[in-house]
Amino acid sequence: MKLQQLRYIWEVAHHNLNVSATAQSLYTSQPGVSKQIRLLEDELGVEVFVRSGKHLIRITPAGEKIIKLADEILCKTRSIKQIAQDFTDESRGFLSISCTRLQARHALPDVTCAFMKKFPSVTLRIRQGEPSQVAEMLMDGEADIAVCTELMNPPTGLINLPCYQYNTGLVVPDDHPLTQAGSLTLADLENYPIVVCSTNPVGYPHLHQACVREGVTPVIACQVADTDLVKHYVRLGLGAGLIPSLAWEQENDRGLVYIDVGHLFPSSTVYIGLRRGTFSRSFLYDFVSLLASHLTQNLVERALLSSNSAEIDDMLKKIRLPFHPEM
């Protein structure tokens, strides 16, 4: 049994059983991948994959367990390499971050600059995706840290550490009537078209839920998947825009007014996701603490080592989360 063979079956499973795509991602040949998988199955005496002709169609029950163990072994192998790198030179290496575009665009730039000043020889890899993809990249070992809003029900082996909170805000042109309305109500929003940052058919989730509860029917003028586009369309006069508070940039958003409507919608929590059972380079803890100063190395290490979720929850309940930006 070889590590290469374990890597092949793991990669095939994560490429939807597509051997050709697996070979391409590993810079090797399709026959070579197939041969090594067959050799592993012959050695083990069980099939990892069910075949139909030359195609793999599903993973066998035995294969599911073997691939899960292969994942753990490969993870430990990466940890061994990281330990060696850390003791060779703890100021050099790579740190991979998976995050949503909101975090990459508005929360991480200042943190990244501060981190790079402290660790100029560490290469940061920042990968964007939807929340499910962000967690998947962390679980698959493609990222060391995940930063995402509401990482609910994480897969086994991941922990979520609360980072900060943010509110929802309304952006309007500086001559918009809502700038003179005082404390806004949902009924006020009903009188104006709304631009939302969502591709969900029911519109911005917080807005939809609150309006259903209050019996208010807002006019959704436009749905987009980017907060910068929300502000752009507000400037074009398409309506008032709902954005996360951390997406408001006063210096860059001239001509617009930001109105806090956090009293109308629940705040959102951003989490840092980490994977248990992996060795973390010392600079990972620096990055985490730059993003959330309350997440000290000691606290993060305790959370990673604890197998009791209730113990972690009790530990984190003592933390008062800051708002971003500071409110």
Side-chain angles (χ1 to χ4, degrees):
M1 186 187 307
K2 302 176 181 178
L3 281 174
Q4 181 192 52
Q5 294 169 336
L6 299 180
R7 175 75 183 278
Y8 283 0
I9 62 171
W10 186 90
E11 290 287 353
V12 167
H14 285 76
H15 281 85
N16 298 316
L17 307 186
N18 188 322
V19 178
S20 178
T22 300
Q24 187 175 3
S25 71
L26 295 173
Y27 302 100
T28 188
S29 67
Q30 181 176 339
V33 172
S34 299
K35 179 182 178 181
Q36 290 301 319
I37 291 175
R38 276 295 191 188
L39 288 173
L40 177 62
E41 291 176 324
D42 290 344
E43 180 181 349
L44 297 175
V46 295
E47 289 190 335
V48 176
F49 302 104
V50 176
R51 294 165 173 81
S52 176
K54 294 183 179 181
H55 300 286
L56 307 182
I57 58 174
R58 66 176 182 273
I59 303 171
T60 66
E64 293 280 359
K65 294 183 178 181
I66 291 169
I67 291 169
K68 182 179 179 180
L69 285 174
D71 180 33
E72 295 175 8
I73 292 169
L74 293 169
C75 180
K76 295 298 184 185
T77 301
R78 287 193 295 268
S79 291
I80 290 171
K81 292 179 179 178
Q82 288 175 336
I83 290 171
Q85 290 174 350
D86 207 43
F87 278 90
T88 301
D89 188 347
E90 63 179 18
S91 65
R92 294 179 179 273
F94 298 89
L95 185 64
S96 297
I97 316 295
S98 63
C99 60
T100 59
R101 188 188 186 283
L102 180 67
Q103 305 303 322
R105 172 69 177 81
H106 298 288
L108 294 186
D110 289 345
V111 173
T112 298
C113 290
F115 180 84
M116 294 311 302
K117 286 180 181 178
K118 188 173 183 179
F119 298 98
S121 298
V122 175
T123 300
L124 277 178
R125 296 166 173 163
I126 299 177
R127 301 185 61 185
Q128 294 175 207
E130 297 300 318
S132 60
Q133 295 171 321
V134 168
E136 185 177 347
M137 283 186 270
L138 179 62
M139 194 65 196
D140 290 348
E142 297 176 22
D144 303 304
I145 302 172
V147 185
C148 186
T149 303
E150 313 293 2
L151 275 178
M152 304 301 291
N153 301 319
T156 303
L158 299 189
I159 62 168
N160 289 326
L161 302 176
C163 185
Y164 56 81
Q165 295 177 301
Y166 61 83
N167 282 333
T168 298
L170 193 73
V171 288
V172 295
D174 52 17
D175 58 351
H176 196 280
L178 286 177
T179 60
Q180 307 300 320
S183 181
L184 297 183
T185 65
L186 287 173
D188 292 325
L189 302 186
E190 194 175 26
N191 299 321
Y192 300 93
I194 305 294
V195 181
V196 295
C197 182
S198 173
T199 54
N200 190 314
V202 298
Y204 191 83
H206 286 175
L207 175 65
H208 175 72
Q209 293 163 11
C211 288
V212 168
R213 186 172 59 250
E214 298 293 327
V216 174
T217 306
V219 177
I220 304 299
C222 189
Q223 298 180 21
V224 296
D226 185 281
T227 54
D228 290 335
L229 281 176
V230 171
K231 291 183 278 189
H232 179 63
Y233 287 156
V234 169
R235 289 189 179 93
L236 294 177
L238 295 186
L242 280 173
I243 64 169
S245 58
L246 60 88
W248 172 248
E249 300 173 316
Q250 188 167 358
E251 287 298 315
N252 297 325
D253 294 331
R254 295 176 181 175
L256 300 179
V257 173
Y258 177 86
I259 304 171
D260 182 27
V261 289
H263 60 288
L264 299 180
F265 310 108
S267 60
S268 297
T269 301
V270 173
Y271 290 92
I272 292 176
L274 297 169
R275 182 174 176 172
R276 284 194 180 95
T278 58
F279 174 79
S280 299
R281 302 290 300 277
S282 59
F283 50 68
L284 178 145
Y285 299 106
D286 287 84
F287 188 92
V288 169
S289 64
L290 284 170
L291 190 57
S293 59
H294 58 277
L295 295 179
T296 62
Q297 179 170 344
N298 178 56
L299 188 150
V300 173
E301 287 180 334
R302 286 170 58 197
L304 286 171
L305 291 172
S306 176
S307 58
N308 188 331
S309 58
E311 180 184 343
I312 298 175
D313 290 341
D314 289 341
M315 189 190 313
L316 298 176
K317 282 178 183 176
K318 300 175 183 177
I319 298 173
R320 182 180 179 183
L321 291 185
F323 272 85
H324 186 89
E326 294 183 4
M327 304 301 287

